[in-house]
Amino acid sequence: MKKVLFFLFSFLALANLNAQIVKPVKWTSKVEKISDSEFNLVMEGKIDQDWHVYSQFTPADGPLPAEFDFKDAKGNYELVGKVKESPYKKQFNDVFGVDEYYFEKNVTFTQKVKIINAKLTSIKVKIDYQVCKTACINDNMSFTFQLPNTGQVPEETVTNISETDTASSSQFTVSETAKPETKTVAEAPKKEAQRGLWTIFFLAFLGGFAALLTPCVFPMIPMTVSFFTKQSKNPGQGKRNAILYGISIIAIYVVLGLAITGIFGADALNALSTNPWFNVFFFLLLVVFAVSFLGAFEIMLPNSWANKVDRQADRGGIIGILFMALALAIVSFSCTGPIVGTLLVESASKGGIAPIVGMLGFSSALALPFMLFAMFPSWMHSLPKSGGWLNTVKVSLGFLELALAFKFLSNADLVLQLHLLEREVFLAIWITIFGVWALYLLGKIATPHDSPITHISVGRLSLGLLVLAFTIYMIPGLFGAPLKLISAFPPPQTYSESPTRFFGNSSASSKNELPDGAEIGPHGLTVFTDYETGLAYAKAINKPVMLDFTGYACVNCRKMENNVWSDENVLNVLKNEVVLISLYVDDKRELPKNEQTVSKKTGNEITTIGDKWTEFIITRYQTNTQPFYVLIDLKEEKLNAPISYTPNIDDYFAWLKDGISKFK
């Protein structure tokens, strides 16, 4: 009875989802005329219930962001700024370990263009996007925007071009002046947004506290507080001046956050953070910061700046106090600059007011001691004396900066799929960095600016043991351990030299034992990523084939692999009873020129490996969703009805056994 119900459910699910080309987004387009040479190209999508389209600013390692291809722009028109989009929602994805930015119900993309060629009559634009529910679809749409002749405005029409499978040329709405942009603000989950900003504030506060304990800042606390208490006419005035000094410090750094956000814009900063080349730039920047902290050189602002500010500080009064705070920021830049730079890079990637919140947290921690010790001068006696421990803090920050730098390099490597910094390499680098840091804290090695020591303090010993324990914790990750404490940092386990683990059970214990054309997949499975190669191998060993239509950025594909394929019974079947062929529909690698073509069914250009498998699933199985699983025999006939996302292990196992039982 259970099997009957299962297959009835599968049939109904397929009837509603799998046995058709799903188009969850209905697109309309229009042109808004700003002047005779400037236009807004507007693409509006109506999204079906429960489906999500992902923003162009979706971070790396997550779902696929929207991408735009403006055809034949050179010499004909230029893009004014970047594509603007309606507000998105933001939610943490625990599968990929990153925030995902998405739209639901509606989405609007707008690109302003300036016409260079007066004879230009149309502009072609292609958008590639991912839309997900329980399944994911990597789709695209081609638009042809008809431009009006000078002084002639076509009748106001809007054509929905998403109802057909072919790209078409249509007339679109044109207005004499740009219409005010009307946005229905998608209300992001308030708790999620607040939690994200509080996290940024807290981490920035810790960064400010760390900066406070560096050789550039800590010695200035007693000097500055002493100045306020001695130069003021009475204790009350000294306290007021110290409080004003602290507020000035906060104001300077918050203005810096405002400036960064205002100059670049939240969206632009976010776009930069997901760009692989800027991730490489951030990597190099953090390496420079780290090397500076480790003692190779000092990052200094010009001395003339500090001298000019010092002269202004002598004026006294509120202006003088403000310039004293600015002098602190300049003089301590060699210690605070790398921390501020790192915080701005991290917070800017979150978009919105995150840079401002980050600078508020950092400066609050930096300013608080100056205010408190001025209000309660007797506390000064409890401050530890300056000494070699300050350099220990600075060097420790250098190790942390260096470790964080490789996260940015890993982001770039993942996006470009270069496989230069796979999981084992990343973990080996981190183990080395934290291992050397532990040796440093335990007094086994020293840096150029360290003072000779005869013993180490209890605090330094405790931190050294903690870092050593963390280093040892990471070592099993080289052999396949998930390392959940740092899951958001290293590449995923599938992006690995040895996904099977060094000493794990697998269908192929090493790459040398793999069949030609196969590779190691999730849980050590032998996987083919080319259909013809996998089918030929299945015929050679006389086993049925399971086609796994999947994607690198498919959330539910990862859930199936992590939660269903990991089951002992399911895994045994996938290892021993079928030949597994995984076809990635979002593989961006280009096909050889002689294999690039245009789809006869959809009219879309087939230029990448992902396009090839998308065309395959559409033409062969009349669907475009992932995950999608098909059991076939050696004549390429279906053994049973294909299924999509099936989180119930028993149902998935029953489907596998049913199809295999029909193989002859």
Side-chain angles (χ1 to χ4, degrees):
M1 183 62 183
K2 185 176 180 180
K3 284 190 176 183
V4 173
L5 291 175
F6 163 64
F7 287 112
L8 177 61
F9 171 79
S10 299
F11 175 79
L12 292 174
L14 291 167
N16 285 288
L17 180 63
N18 296 331
Q20 59 180 333
I21 305 302
V22 181
K23 288 286 184 182
V25 187
K26 308 299 186 294
W27 291 97
T28 59
S29 307
K30 61 183 178 182
V31 175
E32 293 177 348
K33 184 177 178 182
I34 301 172
S35 67
D36 286 343
S37 62
E38 292 185 321
F39 301 89
N40 279 333
L41 310 182
V42 183
M43 296 156 275
E44 298 176 323
K46 184 177 180 182
I47 307 169
D48 289 351
Q49 184 70 27
D50 298 328
W51 288 85
H52 293 162
V53 171
Y54 295 96
S55 163
Q56 61 187 315
F57 305 120
T58 293
D61 304 341
L64 291 181
E67 295 181 353
F68 300 87
D69 182 13
F70 291 85
K71 306 288 186 181
D72 304 320
K74 188 175 182 180
N76 290 313
Y77 63 93
E78 61 182 30
L79 306 179
V80 182
K82 293 184 175 292
V83 175
K84 295 182 179 179
E85 58 183 40
S86 50
Y88 50 69
K89 289 189 174 182
K90 179 178 176 180
Q91 189 171 7
F92 184 75
N93 186 312
D94 56 2
V95 174
F96 291 121
V98 298
D99 290 324
E100 59 183 20
Y101 307 152
Y102 63 89
F103 309 95
E104 58 183 16
K105 297 183 180 178
N106 297 284
V107 59
T108 301
F109 296 110
T110 304
Q111 175 65 61
K112 184 178 179 180
V113 296
K114 183 176 181 179
I115 305 302
I116 300 174
N117 181 1
K119 296 181 180 180
L120 185 68
T121 59
S122 64
I123 295 177
K124 294 183 178 181
V125 182
K126 180 184 177 184
I127 174 177
D128 289 284
Y129 62 95
Q130 186 175 62
V131 54
C132 292
K133 190 171 66 170
T134 54
C136 286
I137 298 170
N138 300 303
D139 211 344
N140 61 70
M141 181 56 59
S142 295
F143 303 92
T144 301
F145 293 91
Q146 299 291 347
L147 302 177
N149 295 327
T150 304
Q152 298 178 356
V153 180
E155 295 182 3
E156 185 168 319
T157 59
V158 177
T159 303
N160 185 331
I161 67 171
S162 69
E163 297 300 327
T164 64
D165 290 323
T166 59
S168 61
S169 174
S170 308
Q171 296 291 323
F172 303 97
T173 304
V174 181
S175 58
E176 283 298 327
T177 57
K179 299 177 182 178
E181 189 174 357
T182 57
K183 293 185 177 181
T184 303
V185 178
E187 295 182 1
K190 293 183 179 179
K191 291 183 179 179
E192 182 70 28
Q194 290 175 355
R195 185 161 58 247
L197 291 177
W198 276 112
T199 300
I200 291 170
F201 180 87
F202 177 71
L203 293 176
F205 189 88
L206 291 180
F209 184 72
L212 188 69
L213 300 178
T214 59
C216 313
V217 181
F218 187 82
M220 298 184 71
I221 297 176
M223 294 168 54
T224 306
V225 172
S226 176
F227 172 82
F228 283 124
T229 54
K230 290 180 180 180
Q231 298 298 321
S232 302
K233 295 179 180 179
N234 55 67
Q237 185 183 20
K239 292 178 181 179
R240 286 193 298 271
N241 289 343
I243 292 173
L244 182 59
Y245 179 71
I247 293 174
S248 298
I249 293 173
I250 294 173
I252 288 169
Y253 285 100
V254 169
V255 167
L256 176 61
L258 280 167
I260 294 295
T261 305
I263 292 172
F264 295 98
D267 287 347
L269 286 169
N270 192 282
L272 292 182
S273 72
T274 61
N275 183 290
W277 304 115
F278 274 93
N279 271 281
V280 172
F281 171 75
F282 294 150
F283 162 73
L284 296 174
L285 184 65
L286 293 189
V287 168
V288 171
F289 290 161
V291 173
S292 172
F293 272 153
L294 292 173
F297 55 83
E298 296 286 343
I299 302 175
M300 302 287 291
L301 292 176
N303 288 330
S304 59
W305 292 16
N307 294 333
K308 289 179 181 179
V309 170
D310 276 338
R311 287 195 292 271
Q312 294 296 324
D314 292 337
R315 296 169 56 181
I318 295 176
I319 299 298
I321 292 174
L322 178 61
F323 276 100
M324 283 185 64
L326 185 58
L328 171 69
I330 293 173
V331 172
S332 64
F333 184 80
S334 61
C335 291
T336 60
I339 301 175
V340 170
T342 305
L343 288 174
L344 284 174
V345 168
E346 278 291 299
S347 59
S349 68
K350 308 300 181 185
I353 63 171
I356 302 170
V357 173
M359 289 299 94
L360 178 62
F362 175 83
S363 57
S364 297
L366 202 62
L368 196 58
F370 291 96
M371 294 188 288
L372 290 178
F373 285 112
M375 295 175 68
F376 306 99
S378 61
W379 290 5
M380 294 288 294
H381 300 294
S382 63
L383 276 178
K385 293 182 179 180
S386 299
W389 66 272
L390 291 174
N391 192 67
T392 302
V393 173
K394 186 178 178 182
V395 171
S396 294
L397 290 174
F399 283 111
L400 286 174
E401 291 270 7
L402 191 59
L404 183 60
F406 281 94
K407 172 57 181 171
F408 288 96
L409 188 62
S410 173
N411 288 344
D413 185 62
L414 278 167
V415 171
L416 298 174
Q417 288 290 299
L418 298 177
H419 289 269
L420 299 176
L421 197 62
E422 293 177 318
R423 185 178 177 88
E424 291 90 347
V425 178
F426 182 95
L427 288 175
I429 292 171
W430 265 40
I431 290 169
T432 301
I433 292 172
F434 282 91
V436 174
W437 183 17
L439 292 175
Y440 170 77
L441 291 172
L442 296 174
K444 301 301 180 182
I445 58 176
T447 60
H449 299 295
D450 281 314
S451 303
I453 57 173
T454 57
H455 66 279
I456 58 176
S457 66
V458 174
R460 180 168 174 172
L461 175 63
S462 300
L463 181 59
L465 292 175
L466 182 64
V467 174
L468 181 60
F470 179 69
T471 304
I472 296 172
Y473 166 78
M474 288 190 289
I475 292 175
L478 295 171
F479 308 98
L483 303 182
K484 294 182 179 180
L485 286 178
I486 57 170
S487 59
F489 289 92
Q493 288 180 303
T494 53
Y495 195 77
S496 171
E497 291 183 6
S498 179
T500 61
R501 311 177 184 182
F502 293 156
F503 304 112
N505 295 322
S506 68
S507 57
S509 59
S510 72
K511 290 187 177 182
N512 294 331
E513 298 176 17
L514 289 172
D516 290 340
E519 58 186 55
I520 301 171
H523 311 295
L525 292 168
T526 299
V527 178
F528 290 87
T529 56
D530 180 78
Y531 178 74
E532 296 297 338
T533 305
L535 182 62
Y537 179 72
K539 291 179 179 179
I541 64 173
N542 194 35
K543 284 186 179 180
V545 171
M546 191 184 92
L547 297 179
D548 163 37
F549 290 95
T550 183
Y552 293 112
C554 173
V555 175
N556 285 331
C557 301
R558 299 294 85 74
K559 287 182 179 179
M560 288 293 294
E561 292 165 3
N562 295 339
N563 302 330
V564 179
W565 288 14
S566 59
D567 176 76
E568 183 179 358
N569 293 325
V570 172
L571 190 58
N572 182 62
V573 171
L574 296 179
K575 283 182 177 180
N576 302 311
E577 299 184 40
V578 299
V579 172
L580 178 59
I581 303 178
S582 292
L583 305 176
Y584 288 84
V585 300
D586 57 359
D587 191 329
K588 297 297 184 182
R589 291 176 295 171
E590 280 200 3
L591 288 167
K593 293 295 182 182
N594 62 338
E595 294 184 27
Q596 297 183 14
T597 183
V598 176
S599 169
K600 295 180 180 179
K601 185 174 182 64
T602 65
N604 295 329
E605 295 179 353
I606 301 173
T607 59
T608 67
I609 294 175
D611 293 339
K612 176 181 178 180
W613 302 133
T614 298
E615 176 73 2
F616 183 81
I617 189 175
I618 289 174
T619 55
R620 184 71 65 93
Y621 300 110
Q622 291 73 53
T623 187
N624 57 348
T625 62
Q626 300 85 46
F628 189 74
Y629 306 105
V630 189
L631 285 169
I632 62 173
D633 60 20
L634 303 182
K635 296 180 180 179
E636 303 179 61
E637 299 292 333
K638 291 182 289 188
L639 294 170
N640 57 1
I643 61 172
S644 186
Y645 179 63
T646 308
N648 185 286
I649 294 174
D650 291 338
D651 290 346
Y652 191 81
F653 180 70
W655 172 78
L656 283 172
K657 298 302 290 185
D658 173 74
I660 293 170
S661 68
K662 297 175 182 177
F663 177 73
K664 298 179 181 178

